[in-house]
Amino acid sequence: MTPHNEANRGDIKKTVLMPGDPLRAKYIAENFLTDVKQFNAVRNMLGFSGKYKGKELSVMGSGMGIPSIGIYAHELYEKYDVENIIRVGSCGAYNKDLKLFDLVIAMGASSDSNFAHQFNLPGTISAICDFDLLRKAVISAEKLDMNVKVGNVFSSDVFYNNNEDEWKRWEDMGILAVEMESYGLYLTAQKLGKKALTILTVSDSFHMKEQTTPKEREKSFNDMILVALESCLI
């Protein structure tokens, strides 16, 4: 056990789906998995293990932001022998062609975070996903006839940004969308020799006024969840 996770070794499977919202983790467990057992409730960061079409896997919340996912991902990789973490989260679209509920797969993550300073590198490291997980997710999306955009996302440390037009500069660099976790997840996986991927659903857009409700973000991102789950079967 760790200060943040009451699971015993063996309770958590090799692959973990990780939404930010622990209630979305509960929703995934209750609606997509069988033989479900809860392994964590510390700080209400709910975690469950079960089976999807016979495949053993786990699902657990990460909380919001790079510091939070950095804690949980590190402990899952290092203390519980997890090999693969697939983040399933929401994002705000920078790309004008992305609409609400569209899917984005993060091939790489840029950031304004100082998370990488701990590695004391003599330059700037690129935070990238695992190609095998990426390949399987794209194959799954194609089989499910779902359109996805694959590219770079921006992991921001700031939700309420005082510089309201700053996002346009990231859009100019081809960044597809903004979220708050992938940069920390990818660098943690790279450091520990593990695998990570982020699959996102567009919950709002910087080009439109429409946005999804909290209830929709909790329970209506089924396309993203199915892509992640089906990719685990390949």
Side-chain angles (χ1 to χ4, degrees):
M1 293 184 287
T2 76
H4 316 99
N5 197 326
E6 61 192 349
N8 295 310
R9 293 286 286 271
D11 289 346
I12 305 175
K13 306 308 176 183
K14 294 297 183 181
T15 296
V16 177
L17 269 61
M18 183 162 269
D21 185 353
L23 291 180
R24 193 181 303 151
K26 185 174 185 286
Y27 172 80
I28 294 171
E30 291 178 345
N31 290 274
F32 294 90
L33 305 185
T34 60
D35 302 325
V36 174
K37 294 182 180 180
Q38 183 173 328
F39 61 75
N40 190 57
V42 176
R43 293 174 178 256
N44 286 324
M45 196 57 70
L46 304 176
F48 307 85
S49 290
K51 295 180 181 179
Y52 178 74
K53 296 184 177 180
K55 173 74 173 183
E56 290 188 330
L57 52 83
S58 299
V59 56
M60 181 179 179
S62 72
M64 291 188 290
I66 289 170
S68 186
I69 201 170
I71 291 171
Y72 290 107
H74 182 95
E75 291 182 354
L76 289 174
Y77 285 138
E78 187 78 353
K79 305 299 183 182
Y80 292 99
D81 301 320
V82 169
E83 292 294 328
N84 314 297
I85 295 178
I86 303 175
R87 165 165 154 68
V88 283
S90 58
C91 65
Y94 284 174
N95 184 287
K96 66 179 184 301
D97 295 326
L98 287 169
K99 309 302 182 187
L100 295 189
F101 300 107
D102 282 353
L103 301 186
V104 174
I105 301 179
M107 182 165 56
S110 300
S111 186
D112 55 3
S113 169
N114 201 31
F115 187 81
H117 84 281
Q118 63 182 301
F119 305 122
N120 197 29
L121 297 166
T124 302
I125 188 170
S126 296
I128 59 173
C129 72
D130 176 76
F131 176 76
D132 188 50
L133 294 183
L134 172 65
R135 179 183 64 85
K136 290 176 179 178
V138 172
I139 291 172
S140 296
E142 291 175 346
K143 287 183 177 180
L144 293 167
D145 197 27
M146 296 178 187
N147 292 322
V148 298
K149 280 189 177 293
V150 180
N152 204 346
V153 301
F154 179 62
S155 298
S156 179
D157 264 353
V158 181
F159 189 86
Y160 296 107
N161 197 325
N162 193 55
N163 301 303
E164 295 183 356
D165 293 330
E166 189 176 271
W167 67 273
K168 295 178 181 178
R169 293 156 67 184
W170 291 106
E171 180 193 23
D172 288 343
M173 294 300 296
I175 300 296
L176 296 177
V178 61
E179 48 89 75
M180 301 187 75
E181 289 82 26
S182 296
Y183 184 77
L185 172 61
Y186 286 5
L187 290 185
T188 300
Q190 287 170 228
K191 175 62 178 177
L192 297 177
K194 303 288 187 171
K195 298 181 178 181
L197 180 68
T198 289
I199 306 173
L200 301 165
T201 299
V202 175
S203 61
D204 57 275
S205 172
F206 284 72
H207 295 276
M208 301 180 293
K209 293 183 178 181
E210 298 92 343
Q211 60 181 357
T212 57
T213 67
K215 186 61 65 175
E216 287 174 329
R217 288 192 291 274
E218 179 186 332
K219 296 185 175 181
S220 298
F221 289 175
N222 288 354
D223 287 354
M224 166 183 66
I225 295 166
L226 281 172
V227 169
L229 290 170
E230 288 292 324
S231 72
C232 295
L233 303 179
I234 298 176

